[in-house]
Amino acid sequence: MAAEEGKVDPMKQFQIEPIFGSENWEIAGFSIAFTNSALWMAVTVILLVAFVYGGMRRELVPGRWQMAVETMTGFIDNMLEANIGKEGRKYVPYIFSLFMFILFGNLLGLLPIGLVGLHPFTFTSHFTITGVLALMSFSIVLIVGFWKHGIGFFGLFVPHGTPVLMTPLLFVIELFSFLIRPISLALRLFVAMMAGHVLLKILATFVIDSLNAGPLLGATVGPAALILMIAISALEILVAGIQAYVFALLSSLYINDAENLH
Amino acid sequence: MPQIDQVLETFSSQLFWLAVFFGITYFLVGRGMVPKVMGTVELRDKQIADDLAAAKAARNAADTQEEEWRLRENENRAEAQALVAEAKTKAAASSEAKLSEAQARLDAKLAEAEAQIEAARASAMTEIENVAADAARDIVARLAGADISEAAAKAAVKEAMVDA
């Protein structure tokens, strides 16, 4: 998808570049350059720590900030209790971290700070990141599943009431759908974030190109594309929340399989 | 797309920094801070539940006390009414006794007074008879020049007064 000279490349926003002259940092031959991606993860963590720290005042009658943080923890707590049950509470730290990390990353990538010359980077639009997050959830499912149920965890792949004749076939199908979970989990978030950002960039290109193409196109296509862009920006904020929620919800549903089988 | 084009050169740095920053998120925020926040919520819920239970207990205590008080009050009222009734009957009896005593005294006084009046009238009558007899003797002596005895005059007067 190489762009022509002078054109806006909608994929350039996903480019990873080392910053602070760190391109040669490495451990055991593997590059650990501090990139723009790492920078935005750092920003996410700093803001997330600040956000949660503001909710630790431990007052009996909470202020707004404390209320906001308690709403988030309560939301995750309720989700886990509804999907897993009482023993789901021990996963609150993990699911909360996952949800907030993805949510803050998604939202920060939408910041309009390009206006002041900075380039927001959405690390959740990289499958290297979403893949690792999905594999983490999947590993928890495997570890908890085999820890609690041992070999009986394979019973997950044979639904109740399956005729004996059908068991091998269903086992294979269920196993396949189980193994595809981390891939679908990772792809869903990565694709949703990338698609939204590409769409916004393309619409921005329409605005600029139509203005350059002449007064007629500039007066018709330009404003229409701009209005659409504003609407889609609002939609993207929604998607940022929904995708974080879906990731956390599916992780907790998969963990439920491991905790309770069927 | 850069996600695929750059994967070989960037995957290690992506994984490394994700491990660092997600690790910070998990251990500092998830393990360190979230349990405290949830502890606060739990503490508050517990406090609210305790306060509600205490209020309920206090209300129940107040209800039983009110019930006891009502029972006591009813007893006291019945007692007081009995006392009042007793006092009333006592007072009625004593006033009746006093009244009859006074009546007796009055009756005696009345009889005495009547007797006195009777005596006074009798003495007055005798006086009048004496005066009338004297007057009659006088008149007879002046008119007829006869001197009649006192007894005769008295008899005549008595006769005349009975006739009158």
Side-chain angles (χ1 to χ4, degrees), chain A residues 16 31-33 37 60 70 125, chain B residues 3 6 12-14 17 44:
Chain A
I16 295 175
S31 157
I32 55 157
S37 172
L60 192 61
E70 283 172 5
S125 65
Chain B
Q3 286 96 324
Q6 289 186 306
S12 55
S13 100
Q14 289 278 70
W17 291 110
R44 180 183 313 127

Side-chain angles (χ1 to χ4, degrees), chain B residues 59-128:
Chain B
R59 199 186 58 192
N60 287 344
D63 279 354
T64 44
Q65 274 189 357
E66 197 192 339
E67 197 54 42
E68 274 170 24
W69 173 82
R70 188 161 295 156
L71 277 175
R72 248 190 354 254
E73 191 68 10
N74 285 348
E75 269 169 32
N76 286 348
R77 186 169 299 146
E79 221 168 276
Q81 269 164 356
L83 273 178
V84 166
E86 197 186 327
K88 258 186 194 163
T89 48
K90 252 188 202 164
S94 86
S95 69
E96 204 163 303
K98 268 184 187 157
L99 269 176
S100 58
E101 193 188 317
Q103 192 68 43
R105 251 197 346 261
L106 279 176
D107 284 353
K109 262 191 182 162
L110 211 60
E112 197 184 321
E114 268 172 3
Q116 270 176 5
I117 288 167
E118 197 58 39
R121 205 172 64 186
S123 82
M125 201 58 97
T126 328
E127 200 88 348
I128 286 167

Side-chain angles (χ1 to χ4, degrees), chain A residues 2-256:
Chain A
E4 293 165 42
E5 280 302 309
K7 295 276 183 186
V8 177
D9 177 6
M11 302 311 281
K12 179 153 191 312
Q13 58 181 325
F14 304 117
Q15 200 93 44
I16 295 175
E17 281 150 7
I19 48 175
F20 307 141
S22 63
E23 50 273 25
N24 294 324
W25 293 3
E26 53 183 45
I27 291 178
F30 290 106
S31 157
I32 55 157
F34 193 83
T35 59
N36 49 351
S37 172
L39 174 70
W40 283 92
M41 285 188 237
V43 173
T44 297
V45 169
I46 289 165
L47 288 180
L48 184 54
V49 168
F51 173 70
V52 180
Y53 184 76
M56 292 220 318
R57 259 165 289 180
R58 321 211 67 174
E59 276 165 29
L60 192 61
V61 179
R64 286 177 196 202
W65 196 302
Q66 194 183 337
M67 200 71 208
V69 177
E70 283 172 5
T71 306
M72 296 314 289
T73 58
F75 165 68
I76 299 295
D77 190 29
N78 286 338
M79 186 172 82
L80 285 171
E81 202 169 321
N83 289 325
I84 303 178
K86 278 281 163 222
E87 63 271 40
R89 300 200 72 180
K90 61 175 173 283
Y91 300 103
V92 168
Y94 173 68
I95 299 290
F96 182 84
S97 306
L98 194 64
F99 175 71
M100 294 305 273
F101 191 71
I102 295 173
L103 179 69
F104 273 50
N106 289 353
L107 288 175
L108 287 172
L110 285 169
L111 283 181
I113 55 174
L115 291 174
V116 292
L118 297 169
H119 294 288
F121 182 88
T122 319
F123 56 80
T124 44
S125 65
H126 276 254
F127 60 77
T128 39
I129 302 291
T130 61
V132 171
L133 294 175
L135 277 176
M136 263 196 295
S137 291
F138 192 67
S139 313
I140 290 175
V141 171
L142 288 180
I143 292 167
V144 171
F146 283 111
W147 187 279
K148 277 196 78 165
H149 306 288
I151 203 78
F153 184 55
F154 284 110
L156 183 65
F157 308 128
V158 185
H160 287 298
T162 311
V164 182
L165 201 64
M166 295 286 285
T167 304
L169 183 64
L170 267 176
F171 184 87
V172 172
I173 293 173
E174 290 279 330
L175 180 66
F176 189 71
S177 80
F178 178 78
L179 291 178
I180 211 123
R181 279 173 177 181
I183 301 167
S184 68
L185 197 57
L187 281 182
R188 186 179 297 111
L189 176 59
F190 146 67
V191 166
M193 294 324 293
M194 192 186 73
H197 283 265
V198 169
L199 187 57
L200 285 175
K201 272 291 183 311
I202 289 174
L203 286 171
T205 325
F206 281 180
V207 177
I208 297 164
D209 286 355
S210 64
L211 286 173
N212 289 337
L216 183 65
L217 279 176
T220 52
V221 176
L226 185 65
I227 289 165
L228 193 58
M229 210 178 142
I230 293 167
I232 289 185
S233 293
L235 183 70
E236 279 309 305
I237 295 172
L238 186 69
V239 168
I242 287 174
Q243 287 301 329
Y245 173 63
V246 166
F247 204 102
L249 179 68
L250 286 177
S251 292
S252 60
L253 285 176
Y254 297 160
I255 292 171
N256 175 45

